[in-house]
Amino acid sequence: MMKERRIWEELSVYESHDFVSKWYNARHGRSLNATRTREIASCFTQGREYFASAKVAATSVRPLLLYYGVLSLSRGVILLRDRTKTEVSLKPSHGLEVVDWQSTLSGGIENVLDLKVRATKGTFGELASASGNLQATGWWSGPNWTKGNYHAALGAPKFLDDGTIISFDDLASRDSRFLAIYERTTGRSTRVHMSEVFADATGIEFSIFAFSNRTDKDTVKTCFGWPEGTVVQERASARRMQLANYCICLAGADLNALKPLLPATQDSGGDMIFVLEDFGNGDRLSELLRTFLLSYFLGMLVRYFPSRWIALLRNEKGDVAQPTLMAAINSVETDYPMLVSGTLA
């Protein structure tokens, strides 16, 4: 509760005319007029109020209110970071569309994890461009185990233009925030793994722990898009953690050149980080973009298929995905404001 309050206090500065003007000038070297400043501040005011409404709302509508809050905060990020954008130039569409949900859900609520979306032109793509698809991450280095942090550029998502379809399961299986719940309730294979990354003057050593039940070296390479010639070794333990693992050694004195080879990550808050397998088309999406996608799935399910959503809430037969969905709602509510704050820091 205290952490959540602090995050909203940090975001409240973007509701200030003077602060927004100062921030924009420092980033872009140009001044905002009163209208543009008001457009940006209004997004953050509206986003905060949507999140506040969601907190006291019934679960039957909470995900939809959260999505509207996510949408508002995202538009604020876009207007701040992309100097070519104004309120009237932002595309009115979400930037995503559902793919045959009626047919998927006609088979029952047990098929919720198989709901799919594709990208269109709109807010999601504008957010991906404005945020740069950056992910906060890091590695251990040196004899004293110093943690080095940086923002990894995960590249422009091909998903925006290549017609790729992403399912809710694609997202849920690649998210450490509800990893234990997902595995226990769905019985499906996870695509997020505990890991340890160590860098020295000769390259990067990347250890992957508990690689589910898939132990083939070629599978390890495929899941993370490692280039041809990458060496994957089996070792009994890593440098700090005494766990069975695979180890990928990326040689090269220029560590900056090796950074693009590292997969997407989520911080564990401790010694290890979680690494996420690439999506089917090779994409690596930041936590900001993946959380936006989660919120879209949940919001559209509540908005357009309320009877299926209520059935899930009432613990009807086929509700295997319900614990994961509830955990995803909590993650959106807790984390999206924090991710927005980090993007603007």
Side-chain angles (χ1 to χ4, degrees), residues 44-58:
F44 288 92
T45 299
Q46 194 174 61
R48 173 177 52 79
E49 292 179 349
Y50 273 128
F51 271 80
S53 297
K55 183 170 286 295
V56 297

Side-chain angles (χ1 to χ4, degrees), residues 316-335:
E316 295 184 11
K317 182 177 173 58
D319 69 348
V320 65
Q322 193 248 41
T324 298
L325 295 175
M326 299 306 293
I329 294 171
N330 292 334
S331 293
V332 170
E333 183 173 31
T334 302
D335 297 341

Side-chain angles (χ1 to χ4, degrees), residues 34-106:
T35 299
R36 294 277 307 277
T37 303
R38 185 165 55 251
E39 290 173 357
I40 293 169
S42 296
C43 290
F44 288 92
T45 299
Q46 194 174 61
R48 173 177 52 79
E49 292 179 349
Y50 273 128
F51 271 80
S53 297
K55 183 170 286 295
V56 297
T59 310
S60 59
V61 296
R62 182 173 160 225
L64 184 57
L65 290 171
L66 285 173
Y67 176 64
Y68 288 146
V70 164
L71 202 59
S72 295
L73 292 180
S74 300
R75 288 165 67 90
V77 170
I78 295 163
L79 292 175
L80 273 170
R81 291 181 61 96
D82 187 341
R83 68 181 188 180
T84 69
K85 299 293 184 181
T86 64
E87 186 177 77
V88 295
S89 73
L90 292 177
K91 295 188 181 301
S93 65
H94 304 285
L96 298 163
E97 65 180 8
V98 304
V99 179
D100 201 17
W101 282 22
Q102 187 68 55
S103 176
T104 302
L105 291 173
S106 66

Side-chain angles (χ1 to χ4, degrees), residues 2-3 13 33 88 108 116 135 160 173 178 183 204 219 223 264 269 301-302:
M2 184 70 71
K3 182 178 180 181
V13 301
N33 60 36
V88 295
K116 299 176 177 66
Q135 178 65 48
L160 299 177
S173 62
F178 33 90
E183 287 189 304
I204 301 172
T219 302
C223 289
L301 178 61
V302 170

Side-chain angles (χ1 to χ4, degrees), residues 1-16 19-20 23 41 44-45 48 73 77 80 334-345:
M1 184 67 72
M2 184 70 71
K3 182 178 180 181
E4 183 179 348
R5 189 181 72 187
R6 283 200 295 266
I7 291 299
W8 281 110
E9 287 173 352
E10 291 178 15
L11 286 180
S12 71
V13 301
Y14 298 102
E15 298 181 51
S16 162
F19 181 85
V20 167
W23 189 100
F44 288 92
T45 299
R48 173 177 52 79
L73 292 180
V77 170
L80 273 170
T334 302
D335 297 341
Y336 201 76
M338 178 179 63
L339 293 167
V340 166
S341 180
T343 299
L344 296 174

Side-chain angles (χ1 to χ4, degrees), residues 215 295 315:
T215 56
S295 185
N315 307 111

Side-chain angles (χ1 to χ4, degrees), residues 105-292:
L105 291 173
S106 66
I109 58 175
E110 60 266 30
N111 296 322
V112 165
L113 289 173
D114 299 321
L115 293 174
K116 299 176 177 66
V117 301
R118 68 165 62 92
T120 60
K121 301 302 182 183
T123 301
F124 181 76
E126 291 172 331
L127 178 65
S129 176
S131 67
N133 195 20
L134 297 178
Q135 178 65 48
T137 187
W139 53 42
W140 295 100
S141 62
N144 297 323
W145 291 95
T146 302
K147 184 71 175 291
N149 299 308
Y150 69 97
H151 282 85
L154 301 181
K158 294 187 287 293
F159 169 65
L160 299 177
D161 302 300
D162 69 359
T164 293
I165 292 174
I166 289 180
S167 70
F168 190 90
D169 187 65
D170 288 331
L171 292 169
S173 62
R174 289 175 171 83
D175 204 304
S176 67
R177 292 173 290 188
F178 33 90
L179 173 61
I181 291 175
Y182 171 83
E183 287 189 304
R184 289 174 61 191
T185 58
T186 69
R188 302 191 183 194
S189 296
T190 180
R191 299 186 183 281
V192 56
H193 313 282
M194 292 184 294
S195 71
E196 180 181 281
V197 185
F198 184 87
D200 59 24
T202 62
I204 301 172
E205 185 177 286
F206 198 96
S207 299
I208 303 173
F209 305 101
F211 200 80
S212 191
N213 61 349
R214 292 170 288 164
T215 56
D216 179 78
K217 291 182 181 180
D218 290 334
T219 302
V220 175
K221 292 182 181 181
T222 301
C223 289
F224 297 105
W226 302 113
E228 193 67 31
T230 301
V231 177
V232 178
Q233 304 172 341
E234 291 185 67
R235 293 187 180 179
S237 65
R239 293 174 179 258
R240 289 170 66 91
M241 305 298 170
Q242 302 302 307
L243 296 171
N245 69 97
Y246 283 93
C247 184
I248 296 89
C249 299
L250 305 172
D254 185 356
L255 298 183
N256 285 326
L258 296 177
K259 286 179 180 179
L261 300 180
L262 299 179
T265 64
Q266 279 183 298
D267 199 336
S268 69
D271 285 350
M272 289 189 291
I273 60 174
F274 289 98
V275 295
L276 284 55
E277 295 182 21
D278 294 354
F279 283 86
N281 66 347
D283 271 349
R284 298 167 180 175
L285 301 180
S286 69
E287 194 167 351
L288 179 80
L289 297 183
R290 287 184 291 104
T291 306
F292 184 106

